[in-house]
Structure formats: C-alpha cells, structure tokens
Amino acid sequence: MSIDSDALAKSVARLEGVDPVDTGLDAALELAVSETDQLFKVDGAGLMLLSEDGSLRYVAASDEPGRMLESLQEQFGEGPCVDAFLEDAPVLAEAMAADPRWPSVGPLAAGHGVHAVLGVPINLREGPVGTLNVYAARPHRWDQSDVAAIQAYTRVVASLLRAAVHAHLSGKAAGQLQQALDHRSLIEQAKGVIMERRGVDQQAAFELLRGHARATRRRLDEVARQTVAGARLPG
C-alpha cells in the first residue's frame, strides 16, 4: 500500500476543512471513509463505534463487502476490528478464511470477498471509542508502513469526533459517539477499581474484565458496571 505524500496532505486538508456542525457527523464520517478508501488504494474501508450495549456497531463503509464485514463482526462479536478495539492496538489479518482467531467471521468474510483486514483503534480521551478499518479483496501481508499510515489518518477522524462532541451534535452517529464515550468511561473506571484491588497494570485489569465477560457470556460494559458497583471478579 504505497501512499503519495501530496495526496495524503490534500486528503488531510480536505477532512480538516470539514465542519461536522455544518455537514452533520454522519456525512463527515462517510466522507472520511471514502477518503480512506481512495487514498490508501485498498478495496474498501469502514468505521465502527462502540454502542450502548458495549459492542462495536457499523457507522460507515465504502461498499457492500465492507458493510458485510462490519455486520458479521457485530453479529458474532469477533473479528480484527473487535480485537483492535479491545486491545487498543492495530490488528492485522492476512488471510481471513484460514485465521484461527476468528473461526466464525473469518470464513464468512472471505466468502463475501474480504480476505485481508487491518483494523486500527480510534482514540478519544482515555481509550478507543471505535475503529477505522481497511480490507483487501485477496490475501495480503500488511506491513508497518501500512499500519503507521492508517494510524495517522485515525487522528484526523478523531478530530472530527472531538468537534462533534464539543458541538453537542444530534443525529445517529453523534448519539452513538456519545454512547461510546460513556461506555469507555465506565470501562476505564472498572479498570481503575481492579488495578487498586489487585495491584495490576491497566492491560492486566482489562484482560481480567474481558476474560470474565467472555467466560460468563455477558457484555463487557455490564461486567464493568457491576465491578464499579462493588462486585468482585473471580480468581
């Protein structure tokens, strides 16, 4: 994925010139996804945000395979974009069909023409509120320049989201963004409680939360809320 520096500068300037107050956040994010798709010369791009039930939800996608990828991850609660959010780090998938990390989503995504995915978290405040994702229609080995380029672009998307928060915008995407911030805050509070109780670092605290949520088949935000209220995780 080669990036033309002039094209990158022009694309960033276009996005920085977008005021979500004037265009609406939904339209601004659709533009951001379209710019991502065209600039990085991938086969598709998409954006997901944390929802009120603690899972990632579709916000925008450049095409139907991209929408299908996000829908599959919503449905099964697994995938490279889900992991990028949970781990707060880029997640690379070279060949979805054969990747053991996502036994449900991988083969289904490949069946819809999505064979390689790069998911990168979008950060606001103290942690991720969503992910920016790109995909390739055939197996592809992403390198660190790919990761660095998408990470840089997520900062432009984050600036759009911050502007929407400060302007108290209404609308579907704006409402979902506010929910994402609320749930992110709850998760951070729960991590703090666990760190104090057990003397562990942030990553270990998060793994305890996530592990308990998965083991009990409950939403991460539900476990976080009960932890903040005084419930203790086993182990």
Side-chain angles (χ1 to χ4, degrees), residues 25-38 42-49 57-74 81 114 131-135 172-173 176:
L25 183 58
D26 297 82
L29 294 180
E30 290 282 357
L31 175 62
V33 167
S34 176
E35 289 280 343
T36 303
D37 181 24
Q38 296 175 33
V42 290
D43 291 305
L47 191 149
M48 304 181 81
L49 287 176
R57 294 284 183 234
Y58 163 85
V59 174
S62 61
D63 54 18
E64 187 55 38
R67 282 187 287 274
M68 182 58 66
L69 171 66
E70 297 189 354
S71 296
L72 288 170
Q73 291 180 103
E74 283 185 31
C81 308
V114 177
T131 59
L132 183 64
N133 324 299
V134 296
Y135 81 85
K172 181 180 178 181
Q176 194 167 332

Side-chain angles (χ1 to χ4, degrees), residues 121-143:
I122 301 171
N123 280 274
L124 288 181
R125 297 181 183 173
E126 297 178 337
V129 295
T131 59
L132 183 64
N133 324 299
V134 296
Y135 81 85
R138 52 182 57 87
H140 174 76
R141 176 168 293 181
W142 310 100
D143 60 32

